[in-house]
PDB file of all heavy atoms in Angstrom:
ATOM      1  N   PHE I  10      12.224  11.162   6.039  1.00 98.00           N
ATOM      2  CA  PHE I  10      11.434  11.963   5.067  1.00 98.00           C
ATOM      3  C   PHE I  10      10.285  12.641   5.776  1.00 98.00           C
ATOM      4  O   PHE I  10       9.535  12.039   6.541  1.00 98.00           O
ATOM      5  CB  PHE I  10      10.901  11.027   3.975  1.00 98.00           C
ATOM      6  CG  PHE I  10      11.991  10.437   3.138  1.00 98.00           C
ATOM      7  CD1 PHE I  10      12.555   9.191   3.478  1.00 98.00           C
ATOM      8  CD2 PHE I  10      12.515  11.072   2.006  1.00 98.00           C
ATOM      9  CE1 PHE I  10      13.582   8.612   2.729  1.00 98.00           C
ATOM     10  CE2 PHE I  10      13.547  10.534   1.266  1.00 98.00           C
ATOM     11  CZ  PHE I  10      14.084   9.305   1.619  1.00 98.00           C
ATOM     12  N   LYS I  32      20.124   1.761  -0.603  1.00 97.00           N
ATOM     13  CA  LYS I  32      20.374   0.346  -0.212  1.00 97.00           C
ATOM     14  C   LYS I  32      21.546  -0.237  -1.066  1.00 97.00           C
ATOM     15  O   LYS I  32      22.187  -1.168  -0.661  1.00 97.00           O
ATOM     16  CB  LYS I  32      19.066  -0.425  -0.403  1.00 97.00           C
ATOM     17  CG  LYS I  32      19.154  -1.899  -0.074  1.00 97.00           C
ATOM     18  CD  LYS I  32      19.315  -2.206   1.419  1.00 97.00           C
ATOM     19  CE  LYS I  32      19.282  -3.704   1.636  1.00 97.00           C
ATOM     20  NZ  LYS I  32      20.349  -4.161   2.525  1.00 97.00           N
ATOM     21  N   ASP I  50      -1.944  17.970  11.562  1.00 98.00           N
ATOM     22  CA  ASP I  50      -2.806  19.139  11.792  1.00 98.00           C
ATOM     23  C   ASP I  50      -4.289  18.748  11.728  1.00 98.00           C
ATOM     24  O   ASP I  50      -5.104  19.162  12.512  1.00 98.00           O
ATOM     25  CB  ASP I  50      -2.570  20.217  10.709  1.00 98.00           C
ATOM     26  CG  ASP I  50      -1.209  20.880  10.884  1.00 98.00           C
ATOM     27  OD1 ASP I  50      -0.731  20.949  12.019  1.00 98.00           O
ATOM     28  OD2 ASP I  50      -0.637  21.311   9.866  1.00 98.00           O
ATOM     29  N   LEU I  71      -4.307   9.229  19.009  1.00 98.00           N
ATOM     30  CA  LEU I  71      -4.883   9.630  17.714  1.00 98.00           C
ATOM     31  C   LEU I  71      -3.818  10.102  16.735  1.00 98.00           C
ATOM     32  O   LEU I  71      -3.695   9.606  15.621  1.00 98.00           O
ATOM     33  CB  LEU I  71      -5.926  10.717  17.933  1.00 98.00           C
ATOM     34  CG  LEU I  71      -6.563  11.306  16.671  1.00 98.00           C
ATOM     35  CD1 LEU I  71      -7.463  10.261  15.979  1.00 98.00           C
ATOM     36  CD2 LEU I  71      -7.401  12.559  16.996  1.00 98.00           C
ATOM     37  N   VAL I  78       0.366   5.217   9.276  1.00 98.00           N
ATOM     38  CA  VAL I  78      -0.179   5.123   7.920  1.00 98.00           C
ATOM     39  C   VAL I  78       0.984   5.240   6.909  1.00 98.00           C
ATOM     40  O   VAL I  78       1.112   4.408   5.992  1.00 98.00           O
ATOM     41  CB  VAL I  78      -1.229   6.239   7.638  1.00 98.00           C
ATOM     42  CG1 VAL I  78      -1.589   6.296   6.179  1.00 98.00           C
ATOM     43  CG2 VAL I  78      -2.444   6.026   8.530  1.00 98.00           C
ATOM     44  N   GLY I  99       6.767   3.041  16.951  1.00 98.00           N
ATOM     45  CA  GLY I  99       7.776   3.447  17.934  1.00 98.00           C
ATOM     46  C   GLY I  99       8.054   2.347  18.946  1.00 98.00           C
ATOM     47  O   GLY I  99       9.188   2.003  19.220  1.00 98.00           O
ATOM     48  N   ARG I 105      11.775   4.013  23.858  1.00 98.00           N
ATOM     49  CA  ARG I 105      11.169   4.243  25.196  1.00 98.00           C
ATOM     50  C   ARG I 105      11.338   5.741  25.531  1.00 98.00           C
ATOM     51  O   ARG I 105      12.374   6.334  25.328  1.00 98.00           O
ATOM     52  CB  ARG I 105      11.891   3.440  26.283  1.00 98.00           C
ATOM     53  CG  ARG I 105      12.129   1.964  26.025  1.00 98.00           C
ATOM     54  CD  ARG I 105      10.855   1.126  25.925  1.00 98.00           C
ATOM     55  NE  ARG I 105       9.914   1.360  27.025  1.00 98.00           N
ATOM     56  CZ  ARG I 105       8.849   0.561  27.264  1.00 98.00           C
ATOM     57  NH1 ARG I 105       8.633  -0.548  26.521  1.00 98.00           N
ATOM     58  NH2 ARG I 105       8.024   0.826  28.230  1.00 98.00           N
ATOM     59  N   ILE I 108       7.421  10.038  30.535  1.00 98.00           N
ATOM     60  CA  ILE I 108       6.033   9.741  30.773  1.00 98.00           C
ATOM     61  C   ILE I 108       5.044  10.658  30.009  1.00 98.00           C
ATOM     62  O   ILE I 108       3.918  10.279  29.719  1.00 98.00           O
ATOM     63  CB  ILE I 108       5.739   9.715  32.306  1.00 98.00           C
ATOM     64  CG1 ILE I 108       4.479   8.939  32.628  1.00 98.00           C
ATOM     65  CG2 ILE I 108       5.748  11.120  32.887  1.00 98.00           C
ATOM     66  CD1 ILE I 108       4.625   7.433  32.527  1.00 98.00           C
ATOM     67  N   ALA I 109       5.504  11.862  29.669  1.00 97.00           N
ATOM     68  CA  ALA I 109       4.597  12.840  29.005  1.00 97.00           C
ATOM     69  C   ALA I 109       3.967  12.216  27.753  1.00 97.00           C
ATOM     70  O   ALA I 109       4.581  11.421  27.055  1.00 97.00           O
ATOM     71  CB  ALA I 109       5.403  14.075  28.622  1.00 97.00           C
ATOM     72  N   ASN I 110       2.738  12.636  27.482  1.00 96.00           N
ATOM     73  CA  ASN I 110       2.084  12.162  26.269  1.00 96.00           C
ATOM     74  C   ASN I 110       2.364  13.049  25.075  1.00 96.00           C
ATOM     75  O   ASN I 110       2.386  12.624  23.941  1.00 96.00           O
ATOM     76  CB  ASN I 110       0.559  12.108  26.455  1.00 96.00           C
ATOM     77  CG  ASN I 110       0.114  11.088  27.497  1.00 96.00           C
ATOM     78  OD1 ASN I 110      -0.385  11.422  28.555  1.00 96.00           O
ATOM     79  ND2 ASN I 110       0.386   9.833  27.194  1.00 96.00           N
ATOM     80  N   LYS I 111       2.621  14.355  25.418  1.00 96.00           N
ATOM     81  CA  LYS I 111       2.657  15.326  24.343  1.00 96.00           C
ATOM     82  C   LYS I 111       4.078  15.709  23.851  1.00 96.00           C
ATOM     83  O   LYS I 111       4.353  15.696  22.680  1.00 96.00           O
ATOM     84  CB  LYS I 111       1.948  16.594  24.802  1.00 96.00           C
ATOM     85  CG  LYS I 111       1.540  17.489  23.681  1.00 96.00           C
ATOM     86  CD  LYS I 111       0.743  18.647  24.177  1.00 96.00           C
ATOM     87  CE  LYS I 111       0.583  19.698  23.109  1.00 96.00           C
ATOM     88  NZ  LYS I 111      -0.010  20.901  23.677  1.00 96.00           N
ATOM     89  N   ILE I 118      16.734   3.628  23.510  1.00 98.00           N
ATOM     90  CA  ILE I 118      16.225   2.865  22.377  1.00 98.00           C
ATOM     91  C   ILE I 118      16.810   1.464  22.449  1.00 98.00           C
ATOM     92  O   ILE I 118      18.047   1.315  22.462  1.00 98.00           O
ATOM     93  CB  ILE I 118      16.548   3.512  21.009  1.00 98.00           C
ATOM     94  CG1 ILE I 118      16.027   4.951  20.973  1.00 98.00           C
ATOM     95  CG2 ILE I 118      15.962   2.709  19.866  1.00 98.00           C
ATOM     96  CD1 ILE I 118      16.325   5.709  19.665  1.00 98.00           C
ATOM     97  N   LYS I 128      19.528  -7.531   9.953  1.00 98.00           N
ATOM     98  CA  LYS I 128      20.302  -8.761   9.696  1.00 98.00           C
ATOM     99  C   LYS I 128      19.574  -9.630   8.665  1.00 98.00           C
ATOM    100  O   LYS I 128      20.202 -10.317   7.893  1.00 98.00           O
ATOM    101  CB  LYS I 128      20.475  -9.529  10.993  1.00 98.00           C
ATOM    102  CG  LYS I 128      21.738  -9.105  11.711  1.00 98.00           C
ATOM    103  CD  LYS I 128      22.070 -10.012  12.889  1.00 98.00           C
ATOM    104  CE  LYS I 128      23.042  -9.322  13.808  1.00 98.00           C
ATOM    105  NZ  LYS I 128      22.570  -9.288  15.223  1.00 98.00           N
ATOM    106  N   ALA I 168      25.069   5.047  13.392  1.00 98.00           N
ATOM    107  CA  ALA I 168      24.964   5.084  11.916  1.00 98.00           C
ATOM    108  C   ALA I 168      26.075   5.939  11.312  1.00 98.00           C
ATOM    109  O   ALA I 168      26.597   6.836  11.951  1.00 98.00           O
ATOM    110  CB  ALA I 168      23.604   5.660  11.504  1.00 98.00           C
ATOM    111  N   LYS I 193      23.405  28.700  -0.018  1.00 95.00           N
ATOM    112  CA  LYS I 193      23.291  27.520   0.768  1.00 95.00           C
ATOM    113  C   LYS I 193      24.607  27.206   1.437  1.00 95.00           C
ATOM    114  O   LYS I 193      25.679  27.344   0.799  1.00 95.00           O
ATOM    115  CB  LYS I 193      22.857  26.351  -0.092  1.00 95.00           C
ATOM    116  CG  LYS I 193      22.364  25.195   0.770  1.00 95.00           C
ATOM    117  CD  LYS I 193      21.697  24.130  -0.031  1.00 95.00           C
ATOM    118  CE  LYS I 193      22.623  23.640  -1.086  1.00 95.00           C
ATOM    119  NZ  LYS I 193      21.915  22.927  -2.110  1.00 95.00           N
ATOM    120  N   GLU I 201      25.819  26.302  15.961  1.00 95.00           N
ATOM    121  CA  GLU I 201      25.265  27.348  15.079  1.00 95.00           C
ATOM    122  C   GLU I 201      23.827  27.039  14.676  1.00 95.00           C
ATOM    123  O   GLU I 201      22.974  27.887  14.651  1.00 95.00           O
ATOM    124  CB  GLU I 201      26.133  27.502  13.814  1.00 95.00           C
ATOM    125  CG  GLU I 201      27.489  28.103  14.131  1.00 95.00           C
ATOM    126  CD  GLU I 201      28.513  27.897  13.017  1.00 95.00           C
ATOM    127  OE1 GLU I 201      28.368  26.954  12.203  1.00 95.00           O
ATOM    128  OE2 GLU I 201      29.456  28.676  12.941  1.00 95.00           O
ATOM    129  N   GLU I 204      21.451  27.899  17.396  1.00 94.00           N
ATOM    130  CA  GLU I 204      21.179  29.344  17.435  1.00 94.00           C
ATOM    131  C   GLU I 204      20.213  29.731  16.307  1.00 94.00           C
ATOM    132  O   GLU I 204      19.296  30.530  16.533  1.00 94.00           O
ATOM    133  CB  GLU I 204      22.477  30.152  17.325  1.00 94.00           C
ATOM    134  CG  GLU I 204      23.414  30.050  18.505  1.00 94.00           C
ATOM    135  CD  GLU I 204      22.829  30.602  19.777  1.00 94.00           C
ATOM    136  OE1 GLU I 204      21.721  31.113  19.771  1.00 94.00           O
ATOM    137  OE2 GLU I 204      23.530  30.499  20.816  1.00 94.00           O
ATOM    138  N   ALA I 210      14.177  29.945  12.699  1.00 84.00           N
ATOM    139  CA  ALA I 210      14.276  29.257  11.411  1.00 84.00           C
ATOM    140  C   ALA I 210      14.246  27.759  11.689  1.00 84.00           C
ATOM    141  O   ALA I 210      15.216  27.189  12.096  1.00 84.00           O
ATOM    142  CB  ALA I 210      15.564  29.656  10.682  1.00 84.00           C
ATOM    143  N   GLY I 221      22.087  15.179  18.156  1.00 98.00           N
ATOM    144  CA  GLY I 221      23.187  15.096  17.158  1.00 98.00           C
ATOM    145  C   GLY I 221      24.492  15.573  17.757  1.00 98.00           C
ATOM    146  O   GLY I 221      25.550  14.920  17.596  1.00 98.00           O
ATOM    147  N   PHE I 234      13.460  16.149  -3.551  1.00 95.00           N
ATOM    148  CA  PHE I 234      13.082  16.276  -4.956  1.00 95.00           C
ATOM    149  C   PHE I 234      14.182  16.794  -5.876  1.00 95.00           C
ATOM    150  O   PHE I 234      13.887  17.126  -7.024  1.00 95.00           O
ATOM    151  CB  PHE I 234      11.800  17.116  -5.054  1.00 95.00           C
ATOM    152  CG  PHE I 234      10.700  16.570  -4.165  1.00 95.00           C
ATOM    153  CD1 PHE I 234      10.286  17.273  -3.041  1.00 95.00           C
ATOM    154  CD2 PHE I 234      10.145  15.347  -4.435  1.00 95.00           C
ATOM    155  CE1 PHE I 234       9.296  16.767  -2.224  1.00 95.00           C
ATOM    156  CE2 PHE I 234       9.151  14.799  -3.607  1.00 95.00           C
ATOM    157  CZ  PHE I 234       8.737  15.525  -2.481  1.00 95.00           C
ATOM    158  N   ILE I 246      34.291  23.271  13.964  1.00 76.00           N
ATOM    159  CA  ILE I 246      34.223  24.672  14.395  1.00 76.00           C
ATOM    160  C   ILE I 246      35.098  25.528  13.466  1.00 76.00           C
ATOM    161  O   ILE I 246      36.291  25.289  13.362  1.00 76.00           O
ATOM    162  CB  ILE I 246      34.680  24.843  15.855  1.00 76.00           C
ATOM    163  CG1 ILE I 246      33.775  24.025  16.749  1.00 76.00           C
ATOM    164  CG2 ILE I 246      34.656  26.331  16.259  1.00 76.00           C
ATOM    165  CD1 ILE I 246      34.253  23.923  18.178  1.00 76.00           C
ATOM    166  N   ARG I 292      18.642  47.380  21.994  1.00 95.00           N
ATOM    167  CA  ARG I 292      19.862  46.837  22.603  1.00 95.00           C
ATOM    168  C   ARG I 292      20.548  45.863  21.644  1.00 95.00           C
ATOM    169  O   ARG I 292      19.945  45.398  20.693  1.00 95.00           O
ATOM    170  CB  ARG I 292      19.573  46.157  23.942  1.00 95.00           C
ATOM    171  CG  ARG I 292      18.634  45.021  23.884  1.00 95.00           C
ATOM    172  CD  ARG I 292      18.510  44.372  25.254  1.00 95.00           C
ATOM    173  NE  ARG I 292      17.872  43.056  25.081  1.00 95.00           N
ATOM    174  CZ  ARG I 292      16.556  42.924  24.919  1.00 95.00           C
ATOM    175  NH1 ARG I 292      15.736  43.962  24.947  1.00 95.00           N
ATOM    176  NH2 ARG I 292      16.057  41.734  24.728  1.00 95.00           N
ATOM    177  N   ILE I 307      10.101  48.847  13.750  1.00 93.00           N
ATOM    178  CA  ILE I 307      10.044  47.758  12.750  1.00 93.00           C
ATOM    179  C   ILE I 307      11.181  47.993  11.733  1.00 93.00           C
ATOM    180  O   ILE I 307      11.342  49.100  11.230  1.00 93.00           O
ATOM    181  CB  ILE I 307       8.669  47.777  12.017  1.00 93.00           C
ATOM    182  CG1 ILE I 307       7.592  47.430  13.048  1.00 93.00           C
ATOM    183  CG2 ILE I 307       8.667  46.846  10.811  1.00 93.00           C
ATOM    184  CD1 ILE I 307       6.198  47.495  12.509  1.00 93.00           C
TER     185      ILE I 307
END
Side-chain angles (χ1 to χ4, degrees):
F10 295 90
K32 179 71 177 133
D50 289 331
L71 175 69
V78 170
R105 310 294 313 192
I108 201 75
N110 295 113
K111 199 176 167 188
I118 304 180
K128 271 190 198 126
K193 194 169 59 197
E201 290 164 336
E204 292 296 359
F234 307 112
I246 300 170
R292 61 176 195 280
I307 294 174

